[in-house]
Amino acid sequence: MRKFRFLTLGMILLIISSLCSAKVIETTRLVGYGKAKYSETFRHFDYVNPDAPKYGKVTYALVGTFDNFNRYASRGVAAAATGELYDSLMYSPNDEIDTYYPLIAEVIRYSDDYMWLEVDINPNARFQDGVPITAHDVSFSFQKFMAEGVPQYRVYYKDVKSVKALNDKTVRIEMKTPNRDKLFSLAENTKVLPEHFWKDKKFNEPLIVPPVGSGPYKVMSYKMGQSVTYELLNDYWAKDLPVNVGRHNFKQVQYDYYRDDTVMLEAFKAGEYDLRQEGNAKLWANSYNGINFDKGYIIKEDIPHQKPAAANGFVFNTRTSLFHNPKVREALSYALDFEWMNKTLFFDQYARTRSYFQNTEFEAKGLPSQEEKNILTPFKDKIPRRVFSEEFAPPVSDGSGHIRPQLRRAFQLLKEAGWEVRNMVMTNVKTGRPFVFELLAYSPVTERIAIPLQRNLKRLGITMKIRMVDTTQYIKRLRDRDFDMVSSRYSANAYPSPDLMIIWNSHYLDSTYNIAGVTDPVVDYLTQRIVKNQQNSDRLLYLGRALDRVLQWNFYMIPQWYLSEYRVAVWDKFERPEIMPKYDLGLDTWWISKTKASRLPPRRQ
């Protein structure tokens, strides 16, 4: 009788355990936001030409230099496209937001409580030297990034309990606490490193020889600091996977480096490289001319797009005592006369940046909705009052170049912040310190757009020094947070993704992604709630707009401008698919036409 009762109790416990255990979901797609566009049996993306020929060579150009081939080193400057030497487990197309399809991964299984996830590796997966890619390489890659990668990687994935190979073809990720986004992120974005190449090398150190990769291109030749050429692998194992069909159509891709952009533009016009995206409105209006344009060898084109716009601006280092006060930061924003600059310098090509979610539904416009108020009201004493009562808008002038009303407002704000003019110099009332700071830059273009701001600040009695350095010094000083202000950008956000933690949350202050050095409890709260509400699209909408309002009214940067077009000039040898991807120019889907190339001068064929 006792035995019977014992067995019955055991059976009951087993039944309860099975009822309470998480369900296992098996899939070939991981969706972070919205719904997947492509079915599990799709053959290729809509924006590619599946019959595009693999042919020819394309040459691009960059300003600067490089000294190694390790994109993930904590010092030095890596060669262009070195991060693309490694394929990731999955791939996200350029016409979707945060949806991933199989690349090195073949099948995904995970528990619906998001405590674990397993990845089956495609049995055909190979590194560039022919060695099979295994689950052990995936586990090794994670450990390498955690031990020797950038600090923000370790902080972001601190809740991962383990990444272990169960066998050669299956790797298992386990979490300390449930976290869907970090679990999915590892499965989606992990770049797979060859353990046999990296096991005896330091991942955080520069690499002076090309590594063994897992992607479609390998380093073919290079001149350190000057040029690097990649070659498409004929035996690339993943070339026929749906995510790759119609992509990677150039047999060779070369990147040439130049001292400055002026030299680089003239080199393009002379036929030294093939394609140029122009970021300078004045150059686009006045400098794209000459005999090769007249002969039709070079085509100039404005290609409209609807993708989210990056938030460009003169970014303050709020960790400095000079820019710690929001009133000071706001005051300086009145010295940027966008309307005059747009008319005089930019040929009316730009619109003013005002949001960190520009060109998306998450952009904060008008007054906050009731849902946004519900989110923000508990922090009413910790955020600017105007968040609730005003729509944020950068200062507007009449475009004449006379901004006395704006400067008067700037003087008022500076006075409230403890500054006054003494002998034509803006001076701190308590310390007697003059208002002098440095804009750190590496590009002559930055210097050109900063001079009008510098001139208007001088009218306030403020001295802005423009410090030009090379790219190596710039990156080091950015990493060390050794700057007062930089002209930079916050990447475009199609939706409030968990990546906002790395950009804004104070736990990532040591990361160079948090350029402004923000440490704000409300920003921390909102970014954390965004991570926890990825599956609630309505809630995410209001959280995103609430975050946008808080960032706007804290004046972490002087907003610059954006363009809703690609300004592209090419030597006329390219073809591209009829459909352009929604969120990208789609260069990896272009191909070279032998017929067009034959009409060009020999050096550009």
Side-chain angles (χ1 to χ4, degrees):
M1 187 69 177
R2 287 181 180 178
K3 183 177 180 181
F4 177 79
R5 285 200 300 267
F6 176 77
L7 290 174
T8 303
L9 179 61
M11 292 173 65
I12 292 172
L13 291 173
L14 182 63
I15 292 170
I16 293 174
S17 174
S18 65
L19 290 174
C20 295
S21 63
K23 295 180 181 179
V24 177
I25 299 171
E26 184 169 291
T27 183
T28 60
R29 302 169 297 173
L30 289 178
V31 182
Y33 179 78
K35 296 181 180 180
K37 177 179 180 179
Y38 297 99
S39 71
E40 293 192 348
T41 58
F42 83 104
R43 296 184 178 182
H44 57 78
F45 299 131
D46 291 345
Y47 59 85
V48 306
N49 172 9
D51 301 316
K54 310 289 184 183
Y55 170 77
K57 178 180 179 179
V58 62
T59 302
Y60 301 120
L62 304 94
V63 171
T65 186
F66 70 96
D67 58 17
N68 77 93
F69 294 97
N70 183 10
R71 163 67 178 78
Y72 306 102
S74 58
R75 60 185 179 89
V77 180
T82 46
E84 304 308 310
L85 287 170
Y86 309 101
D87 273 341
S88 52
L89 288 170
M90 307 187 80
Y91 178 80
S92 182
N94 289 323
D95 61 349
E96 285 190 271
I97 299 176
D98 203 21
T99 301
Y100 288 78
Y101 299 87
L103 185 46
I104 292 175
E106 186 176 49
V107 175
I108 307 292
R109 289 178 299 279
Y110 61 91
S111 62
D112 66 355
D113 63 358
Y114 306 115
M115 284 295 292
W116 64 266
L117 180 148
E118 291 179 355
V119 180
D120 289 348
I121 306 299
N122 191 310
N124 298 316
R126 297 288 186 275
F127 289 109
Q128 293 172 345
D129 58 0
V131 174
I133 299 175
T134 71
H136 303 285
D137 294 297
V138 178
S139 175
F140 169 83
S141 300
F142 174 75
Q143 303 303 334
K144 202 70 168 173
F145 274 104
M146 287 294 285
E148 301 172 11
V150 292
Q152 62 265 29
Y153 189 92
R154 291 190 289 274
V155 175
Y156 187 76
Y157 288 118
K158 62 182 174 61
D159 292 331
V160 176
K161 180 180 179 181
S162 64
V163 178
K164 295 182 179 179
L166 301 182
N167 51 55
D168 285 349
K169 292 303 176 186
T170 302
V171 63
R172 182 181 175 95
I173 304 166
E174 294 189 357
M175 304 296 296
K176 297 175 184 176
T177 57
N179 193 310
R180 174 185 181 274
D181 299 295
K182 293 181 182 179
L183 191 66
F184 280 18
S185 177
L186 268 179
E188 294 162 349
N189 298 310
T190 295
K191 294 283 189 176
V192 182
L193 311 172
E195 182 177 4
H196 63 281
F197 178 86
W198 277 106
K199 63 181 179 181
D200 298 323
K201 298 177 178 65
K202 292 184 177 180
F203 195 52
N204 56 353
E205 292 293 323
L207 186 70
I208 60 173
V209 295
V212 174
S214 52
Y217 287 94
K218 70 175 182 179
V219 176
M220 174 183 173
S221 61
Y222 62 93
K223 292 181 181 178
M224 190 65 79
Q226 301 178 45
S227 177
V228 58
T229 303
Y230 297 91
E231 181 180 35
L232 181 66
L233 297 169
N234 291 326
D235 59 351
Y236 174 47
W237 74 272
K239 63 182 178 181
D240 295 324
L241 289 182
V243 295
N244 284 327
V245 170
R247 300 174 58 230
H248 314 308
N249 300 321
F250 306 126
K251 294 289 285 185
Q252 293 180 14
V253 178
Q254 181 169 311
Y255 295 87
D256 290 338
Y257 285 79
Y258 291 83
R259 293 174 299 170
D260 60 61
D261 194 60
T262 302
V263 174
M264 193 165 72
L265 175 56
E266 293 306 313
F268 171 73
K269 292 161 69 173
E272 294 296 326
Y273 60 99
D274 293 302
L275 183 149
R276 179 179 169 93
Q277 290 192 63
E278 183 54 66
N280 186 300
K282 181 180 180 181
L283 293 178
W284 189 246
N286 296 330
S287 298
Y288 282 75
N289 48 46
I291 188 171
N292 288 320
F293 289 87
D294 296 338
K295 290 183 176 181
Y297 292 155
I298 302 178
I299 303 297
K300 176 184 173 184
E301 187 175 5
D302 295 287
I303 304 175
H305 67 73
Q306 297 178 338
K307 72 175 187 176
N312 300 304
F314 292 105
V315 182
F316 299 101
N317 179 3
T318 65
R319 308 309 298 164
T320 66
S321 59
L322 192 60
F323 293 133
H324 187 68
N325 191 329
K327 286 188 177 181
V328 172
R329 304 195 296 266
E330 181 181 1
L332 267 61
S333 72
Y334 282 92
L336 194 150
D337 187 354
F338 168 73
E339 285 69 30
W340 178 87
M341 294 178 70
N342 196 32
K343 179 178 67 175
T344 307
L345 303 179
F346 306 146
F347 303 87
D348 288 321
Q349 296 180 35
Y350 291 111
R352 188 75 190 270
T353 297
R354 61 170 306 279
S355 168
Y356 294 89
F357 295 95
Q358 198 78 51
N359 284 0
T360 75
E361 63 178 333
F362 302 94
E363 179 180 349
K365 297 179 180 178
L367 297 180
S369 64
Q370 186 59 51
E371 291 83 359
E372 293 170 67
K373 290 180 182 178
N374 293 341
I375 293 169
L376 294 172
T377 297
F379 306 99
K380 201 166 187 176
D381 60 338
K382 296 180 180 179
I383 57 180
R385 295 179 180 179
R386 288 177 289 178
V387 166
F388 296 94
S389 60
E390 297 179 37
E391 179 183 26
F392 176 82
V396 178
S397 75
D398 61 8
S400 67
H402 302 292
I403 56 170
R404 286 186 179 180
Q406 288 79 13
L407 294 182
R408 282 197 297 269
R409 177 59 179 156
F411 274 120
Q412 180 184 347
L413 287 166
L414 288 166
K415 184 178 180 179
E416 293 172 6
W419 295 84
E420 66 180 13
V421 177
R422 298 177 184 172
N423 299 321
M424 307 287 290
V425 176
M426 187 64 67
T427 306
N428 188 280
V429 174
K430 290 184 178 180
T431 66
R433 172 189 175 188
F435 202 132
V436 179
F437 72 96
E438 181 181 272
L439 171 68
L440 183 67
Y442 64 89
S443 168
V445 174
T446 299
E447 184 176 25
R448 174 175 172 265
I449 64 173
I451 287 175
L453 174 64
Q454 182 187 50
R455 183 171 57 246
N456 287 335
L457 287 172
K458 191 66 176 177
R459 296 168 65 184
L460 289 169
I462 296 173
T463 298
M464 181 180 82
K465 299 178 181 178
I466 302 175
R467 172 67 169 168
M468 299 296 296
V469 297
D470 61 31
T471 52
T472 303
Q473 289 178 290
Y474 180 84
I475 292 171
K476 184 180 188 307
R477 289 187 60 177
L478 197 66
R479 287 171 174 166
D480 295 341
R481 207 173 289 284
D482 179 20
F483 65 92
D484 298 320
M485 175 187 282
V486 292
S487 179
S488 189
R489 65 171 54 192
Y490 290 95
S491 298
N493 296 297
Y495 79 104
S497 76
D499 291 343
L500 292 172
M501 287 284 289
I502 300 175
I503 299 170
W504 294 112
N505 195 281
S506 65
H507 291 91
Y508 299 86
L509 182 61
D510 292 335
S511 162
T512 54
Y513 296 110
N514 191 339
I515 303 171
V518 175
T519 55
D520 184 284
V522 181
V523 173
D524 285 350
Y525 170 82
L526 291 172
T527 51
Q528 289 161 4
R529 297 310 300 172
I530 282 169
V531 169
K532 293 181 179 180
N533 284 272
Q534 290 295 296
Q535 295 305 293
N536 188 334
S537 58
D538 290 336
R539 182 71 171 171
L540 202 60
L541 177 65
Y542 302 121
L543 283 167
R545 290 176 179 173
L547 175 64
D548 197 24
R549 293 184 194 279
V550 172
L551 296 177
Q552 288 172 335
W553 285 109
N554 272 295
F555 302 98
Y556 293 123
M557 70 177 185
I558 301 175
Q560 292 178 353
W561 39 85
Y562 70 96
L563 181 71
S564 292
E565 294 178 330
Y566 299 110
R567 292 184 294 220
V568 182
V570 300
W571 281 79
D572 190 22
K573 66 179 185 179
F574 297 101
E575 297 282 0
R576 62 179 189 254
E578 293 181 5
I579 299 174
M580 190 175 79
K582 184 174 182 180
Y583 301 113
D584 193 73
L585 181 57
L587 288 177
D588 65 343
T589 69
W590 292 22
W591 66 94
I592 293 174
S593 163
K594 291 184 180 181
T595 302
K596 283 187 173 184
S598 67
R599 300 169 185 161
L600 297 178
R603 75 186 315 174
R604 286 275 54 88
Q605 294 180 9

